[in-house]
Structure formats: C-alpha cells, structure tokens
Amino acid sequence: FFGINNLFGIDYLKKNADMSGTLADHDIYSIFSEFKFRPTLNTNLEVSGRREYDNNYGNFDTGRLQINQSFFNNMIIRASIGTGYRTPTPYELYSSYGNTNLKPETSITYDLGSEFKFKEDSTNLYLGVYETRVEDIITYASSKYRQSTGNLKSNGAEIRFKTRLFDNLTTGANYTKTNAKENDGDSIKLIPKDKLILFANFNPLAKLNINTSYHLQNKAKDPKYNELPVYRSLNVNTNYLLKGNSKIFLKIENLL
C-alpha cells in the first residue's frame, strides 16, 4: 500500500501436557504485521509488531525496528532493537519441581553491524555487536523453579565471512563471542562463550545441492555451573530437484 511492502498474519498455538498426572492446556492466539519501506534511496526501514493473547497470562505486545543504510556500492550499516518474552514451559510449571505461580520472562535486544561486499558481490564480510537483557528470570533453586528478581545480560560480537570460490562452490565461516552473566556474576547456563561454524555449499549439478557445516563451541556451563566439554558436530544436507516443484533430500546431523 502506498509504496510500502507489508505482511499481515494470524497464528494459533495449542499445547497439551500431562506432568505427573496434572493435565494442562495452553492456547495462544496471535496477530502480527510487518512493514518495509524506503524513506530515501539508500535507506531501508523495517517495522514489525505482534500481539499475543495467552489464556494463562493475558496479552503480550512485542516489536522490532531495523534500519539498513547503504554507503557507496559495497557497504551497509545495520541497526535494530527488538523486544520478546518467554512463557514458562510445562515442565517448569507442572513437574515435581514446578511452580504454577511463575510468570513469563521479558527481554530486549540491540544490535549494530556492518556488511562489506567485494569482488562483484562474490565475497561478503559482516561485523556486528549485540546486547540482550532478560528480566523476571526463571531459575532453579532449592529443588524448585522460582522467579528471580535479578536479570540476565549478554553481549558479544559476531564475524561472518562468505565467498564464492567457483561458480558451483561457496564457502565461509561464522564466529560468535558471547559474554553472558547473571546479575550475581555467574555465567549463564548452557550458553557457549565461543561458537565457530565453517560451511560449504556445493552444486555439482544444476539440480543437486550439497550443504556441509562444521560446528565447534566451548566454555558452556551445565545447570550446576560445571564447565561442559568442547562440542563438535559435522552436518550434511543434500537435496535434489525433481521435475516440477518437488525435491528429495538427505539430512545427517552429527555425521561423525
């Protein structure tokens, strides 16, 4: 409408849980919208909003604002801010360790980054930083899930590199460094400090696509704050396009 690209949608989610003989039904109705427009020739602006009605917790409004600004022919600056929330899981509510008085967690996230394009768009480099703050944290203490008055704060940096070596071979890497702390100084559980992804996309035939990725992460803490071992995983995803609009695929995670 009026030169603005837009999207509208509705969503319905139903959850059923049976925890230790306690039955629980959870219904969520949502309506969402997204608008994309260009205030200037080199500026792209995206605004999105979502309203959810939860039969257990009432209404929640979340949104996101993102701006992309182009400079010259090979540089883009990106910035965004967004809000979110997470309702308690059925296990946190109704298990033998559960607490039916728990309320949803809320969060806000900021990020800022820049993307550079080289060699006629065959090579891309992205550099970015981000910060997330979570309030009303659900924690586990004294054999029971509880609502904390503290907060979680994580920030970090990301580097992404992608290049096309040949017409049918693209490869690259993604490295993320995360510093995540609770308000008492403890590291956030199950969040790795270092995460590296190496990937390659190969098209030996016009209809055949082979994706491989190698994941490595370390320095994550378990729920008792013990450091977990280094995690490595090699994944393969292959698909072949058949006649018309159908394809077959083979996907293997943790190949080794």
Side-chain angles (χ1 to χ4, degrees):
F1 297 115
F2 307 107
I4 299 176
N5 292 327
N6 57 83
L7 176 148
F8 295 93
I10 57 175
D11 219 6
Y12 171 66
L13 175 65
K14 183 176 182 64
K15 297 180 182 180
N16 302 100
D18 183 350
M19 308 293 289
S20 303
T22 301
L23 297 176
D25 290 331
H26 193 181
D27 296 279
I28 303 173
Y29 305 85
S30 307
I31 182 170
F32 56 90
S33 60
E34 181 181 70
F35 302 92
K36 299 182 179 182
F37 52 98
R38 303 181 67 178
T40 70
L41 185 62
N42 296 320
T43 305
N44 288 285
L45 193 63
E46 298 181 15
V47 182
S48 59
R50 184 182 187 95
R51 163 157 283 201
E52 295 192 359
Y53 172 76
D54 190 304
N55 68 326
N56 289 337
Y57 302 107
N59 292 340
F60 283 90
D61 295 314
T62 57
R64 188 169 187 266
L65 172 65
Q66 176 173 307
I67 184 170
N68 299 343
Q69 179 67 45
S70 299
F71 295 93
F72 312 108
N73 293 323
N74 64 343
M75 179 179 178
I76 301 175
I77 301 295
R78 294 193 173 106
S80 72
I81 179 173
T83 60
Y85 81 99
R86 183 186 78 86
T87 57
T89 66
Y91 189 83
E92 293 168 337
L93 291 170
Y94 303 111
S95 70
S96 55
Y97 309 102
N99 181 356
T100 56
N101 294 319
L102 294 175
K103 302 298 181 184
E105 299 175 339
T106 58
S107 66
I108 185 168
T109 300
Y110 313 86
D111 66 70
L112 175 67
S114 58
E115 182 177 352
F116 304 89
K117 299 180 180 180
F118 308 99
K119 295 183 180 179
E120 298 179 353
D121 293 344
S122 65
T123 301
N124 292 52
L125 174 65
Y126 174 83
L127 306 172
V129 294
Y130 64 90
E131 179 177 287
T132 298
R133 184 183 182 92
V134 183
E135 305 283 352
D136 302 319
I137 314 154
I138 296 172
T139 61
Y140 180 78
S142 302
S143 301
K144 193 176 182 67
Y145 283 99
R146 304 177 186 276
Q147 202 96 42
S148 172
T149 56
N151 59 74
L152 299 178
K153 188 175 182 180
S154 63
N155 54 64
E158 182 179 13
I159 301 175
R160 295 198 304 261
F161 177 77
K162 181 179 179 180
T163 185
R164 188 172 65 243
L165 299 179
F166 306 102
D167 290 339
N168 60 356
L169 178 62
T170 301
T171 186
N174 187 337
Y175 173 72
T176 305
K177 179 75 172 180
T178 302
N179 179 35
K181 298 287 185 181
E182 298 181 11
N183 61 337
D184 58 4
D186 289 330
S187 296
I188 297 177
K189 300 181 289 291
L190 305 179
I191 302 295
K193 289 187 177 181
D194 300 291
K195 186 173 182 179
L196 174 66
I197 300 175
L198 306 176
F199 63 89
N201 185 8
F202 182 46
N203 298 101
L205 302 172
K207 295 183 178 182
L208 179 63
N209 186 35
I210 302 173
N211 289 300
T212 61
S213 62
Y214 178 76
H215 296 231
L216 185 149
Q217 62 185 48
N218 67 356
K219 298 182 180 178
K221 303 285 186 176
D222 71 6
K224 295 183 179 180
Y225 298 99
N226 298 312
E227 186 165 306
L228 294 169
V230 176
Y231 173 81
R232 302 176 181 87
S233 176
L234 178 63
N235 310 309
V236 178
N237 188 352
T238 302
N239 61 74
Y240 183 81
L241 184 65
L242 301 175
K243 292 182 179 180
N245 56 356
S246 301
K247 65 182 177 181
I248 58 175
F249 67 89
L250 172 66
K251 182 178 181 181
I252 305 176
E253 295 186 354
N254 200 14
L255 181 63
L256 304 181

